[in-house]
Amino acid sequence: MRKDLTNAYLAGIIDADGYIGLIKRYTGGRNDLQKNFFVPVIKLASTTPVITDFLKKEFGGHIDKARFSNLPNTKPAVMWSVRNRKIIIEILNRIEPYLMIKKERAETVLAFIEECKIGRQDLVPEENRIAYYNKMKILNRRGLATTE
């Protein structure tokens, strides 16, 4: 399959069923210098492992079993996820031109990664990091969309 078609297909999958965001991790210790540490992540859940297997083969990442309901008639699902910044940058750069719904999320995560270099989040003011996280929380909020 041509690379541009693969990228457009991947963008459609992520737009429809994927998650692009930041996960909050608490760090600290004795000095409690850095309370808020954020990890970029891309996830996709599917009841069809063909898609998640393709993503793992193409980009790496992890596949875990997922169960979204305890109802007996619910299909088992798998969750593909990636937290490696280099892989996230590659994926988002490939799919960003084709995203329709999650374009702003991709741009925000890329901006976060650019500002918060690997291992150097402590050099970025905590309020900047929290601002990225809060923006992602709004963009990924469930429920009815607001028109502003």
Side-chain angles (χ1 to χ4, degrees), residues 40-101:
V41 65
I42 300 174
K43 296 180 182 184
L44 179 85
S46 176
T47 57
T48 308
V50 172
I51 296 168
T52 53
D53 290 346
F54 166 77
L55 291 169
K56 182 166 176 53
K57 182 180 175 193
E58 185 79 9
F59 299 108
H62 301 281
I63 295 178
D64 297 305
K65 291 181 181 177
R67 187 147 186 100
F68 299 107
S69 174
N70 289 327
L71 297 174
N73 61 344
T74 303
K75 284 184 178 180
V78 290
M79 174 80 72
W80 170 81
S81 64
V82 63
R83 295 181 184 174
N84 180 293
R85 289 172 179 239
K86 289 180 183 180
I87 295 171
I88 289 173
I89 291 168
E90 178 190 352
I91 293 169
L92 294 181
N93 283 332
R94 282 176 57 176
I95 68 173
E96 189 268 335
Y98 304 100
L99 289 171
M100 298 178 74
I101 299 166

Side-chain angles (χ1 to χ4, degrees), residues 2 12 19-20 33 40 44 47 58 76 79 83 85 89 96 103 110 114 117 123-124 128-129 134 147:
R2 292 191 350 235
Y19 172 83
I20 300 170
L33 292 174
L44 179 85
T47 57
E58 185 79 9
M79 174 80 72
R83 295 181 184 174
R85 289 172 179 239
I89 291 168
E96 189 268 335
K103 189 179 205 70
L110 286 170
E114 178 61 32
K117 300 293 185 195
L123 299 178
V124 177
N128 290 18
R129 291 181 273 135
N134 287 336
T147 53

